[in-house]
Amino acid sequence: MASQETRFARLLVCIFALILLSQIAIAATIAPRSLTPQKKSRKVAESARARRHMHHLARTRRVRSRTVGSLKRHHYYERFYASSYSKDITDGDVVTGEDPVVRQAAIDALGSMNGTVLAIEPTSGRILTMVNQKMALSSGAQPCSTIKLSVALAALSEGIITKETQVRLGGRYHMNLTMALAHSNNAYFEELGRQLGFEKVSHYAHMYGLGELAGYHISGEQLGV
């Protein structure tokens, strides 16, 4: 009985060994696979439209880089022909009829700066004060950004724009009147000026008082340009 059990146990061990060896043999025949995924190389063909778009982007970047480089090479400086400071900016002022409180506030604000302040009561047109009258009444200077207001009013009066009209300023860049005034955008008002023409720009500027006398018979007052 014991010998039979021993033989049976040996038989089971042999069967188990054979099964184990067969599994090992099967595993050995399977090609190992890398755990790292391999990228398949495939050729991507760009369409003609995509090639044109990429060429345009590359050209735009080159132009911008040249522009930035040129700005770095060239330096621009403002030129001033008078001192920014003065010992007594009120020398020679005629203060008759001026509001003393407004005048003192203007003088305090200017300090020692060589500037001028002209305060006018909007409801009556009365000149409340004119500090540093020599400068205020000197020959006219270029209006700079103040011309933008008359240009905007002229364009509105002529029906060229409304306050919401989007004016094209090159490429896909657009701006309306509200944003142009908020940012004092030169290109916007230059474009309106071209559409109006010089004669209309000048006409409306004179209507709003640029290049005109104030009309109060102020001694020494000169026309602007």
Side-chain angles (χ1 to χ4, degrees), residues 149-160 196 200-201 204-205 208:
L149 298 177
S150 63
V151 169
L153 291 168
L156 289 169
S157 300
E158 293 291 325
I160 293 177
L196 286 164
K200 285 186 178 179
V201 169
Y204 279 93
Y208 296 119

Side-chain angles (χ1 to χ4, degrees), residues 10 20 31 33 54 65 73 75-76 81 87 101 114 116 124 146 161 175 183 204 207:
R10 290 176 178 175
L20 182 61
R33 184 175 61 182
M54 294 302 293
S65 64
R73 287 193 298 271
H75 301 279
Y76 300 93
Y81 301 98
K87 292 181 180 180
V101 176
N114 187 22
T116 181
S124 64
T146 57
I161 59 165
M175 185 175 284
H183 294 278
Y204 279 93
M207 284 180 60

Side-chain angles (χ1 to χ4, degrees), residues 157-219:
S157 300
E158 293 291 325
I160 293 177
I161 59 165
T162 68
K163 67 176 184 178
E164 301 299 337
T165 302
Q166 296 290 329
V167 176
R168 186 174 180 178
L169 304 179
R172 297 181 180 179
Y173 188 48
H174 296 75
M175 185 175 284
N176 63 21
L177 178 59
T178 302
M179 294 302 295
L181 287 172
H183 294 278
S184 190
N185 185 274
N186 291 342
Y188 177 92
F189 295 100
E190 288 171 6
E191 177 58 29
L192 292 189
R194 278 191 290 269
Q195 294 184 37
L196 286 164
F198 178 80
E199 294 299 328
K200 285 186 178 179
V201 169
S202 178
H203 171 71
Y204 279 93
H206 282 280
M207 284 180 60
Y208 296 119
L210 294 177
E212 299 291 336
L213 297 177
Y216 295 102
H217 307 292
I218 301 171
S219 177

